[in-house]
Amino acid sequence: MLVWTLLPDGGRASDDTAGPRGTASGSTKATASAGASSSASPVDATADAVDLLSADGLHRTVAKLTEATGGSKVADLVVYGEYAVATAPVPGRPKLYDRYIYRGADVAVKFGPGGTIAQGTVPVDLNDFAWDAVPALLTKAARTLGIPQPTSRYLVVSPASTTLDSDPTLSVYLSDEYGSAYLEANARGEVIETHPRDDG
């Protein structure tokens, strides 16, 4: 059975590492448990082997999510190498969001209603991000975050917030069995903060 883990603290990757702010109420990052059944899991093996964290994979992800949602604006987006999860405003009801999943196949699909977008969240246009810069960010993360053999890599896109007076960002995470670390960049792919893991 699939188990979604929703991080309620704004995407905090670990108790001692601050993560991107929350956007959709109660949902910023979703992960799937091992052993999910093929009939129920929205993160089954992809039809096409593609690394969604590559520049081509990210452009493809944006295109497929745009087709599925009917627009390019999202309340947040999380991309792993094998799949991506987005929350997008409901057409005509901008305070509500739906969830979408893309697994590298021909289409992204809606996999259920979401909830209410957090107050102050300004959905971002996925076309405003420099996706070609992400591979270099991942390379820099591998050099600087103190996680030499990550077991997981993922990207979190966070929108602007009038409540926090903040701009849209993208954050690259690396994690292993001991926890996570991340670096944060602006929409142009320029690093603005680095949060390495302190191994003592």
Side-chain angles (χ1 to χ4, degrees):
M1 179 179 293
L2 178 69
V3 178
W4 288 103
T5 303
L6 302 178
L7 301 190
D9 57 353
R12 190 175 299 269
S14 66
D15 289 341
D16 59 353
T17 304
R21 57 194 172 277
T23 52
S25 180
S27 173
T28 297
K29 182 172 78 71
T31 57
S33 66
S37 69
S38 60
S39 61
S41 173
V43 291
D44 292 336
T46 60
D48 303 315
V50 57
D51 179 7
L52 297 187
L53 288 171
S54 67
D56 287 345
L58 287 163
H59 284 294
R60 183 173 178 178
T61 298
V62 169
K64 297 302 182 181
L65 287 172
T66 298
E67 290 176 8
T69 64
S72 56
K73 290 190 175 182
V74 298
D76 60 32
L77 170 68
V78 182
V79 184
Y80 290 81
E82 300 81 17
Y83 68 97
V85 178
T87 63
V90 177
R93 306 175 75 183
K95 297 299 184 183
L96 304 180
Y97 70 89
D98 287 323
R99 293 189 180 97
Y100 292 84
I101 187 91
Y102 178 59
R103 296 176 288 144
D106 290 336
V107 296
V109 296
K110 178 181 172 182
F111 69 98
T116 303
I117 293 176
Q119 184 175 2
T121 295
V122 182
V124 292
D125 191 326
L126 292 176
N127 293 319
D128 290 342
F129 286 85
W131 301 113
D132 290 340
V134 171
L137 292 176
L138 287 165
T139 299
K140 183 168 185 175
R143 293 197 314 265
T144 63
L145 295 184
I147 301 182
Q149 295 181 309
T151 55
S152 179
R153 306 182 309 156
Y154 57 94
L155 172 74
V156 176
V157 171
S158 299
S161 171
T162 58
T163 302
L164 300 175
D165 191 24
S166 57
D167 296 323
T169 60
L170 56 85
S171 299
V172 170
Y173 278 82
L174 300 181
S175 64
D176 61 16
E177 61 270 27
Y178 294 103
S180 302
Y182 74 99
L183 58 81
E184 186 174 45
N186 59 26
R188 297 183 297 276
E190 300 165 341
V191 176
I192 53 180
E193 290 186 13
T194 302
H195 297 268
R197 187 175 64 195
D198 183 3
D199 288 348

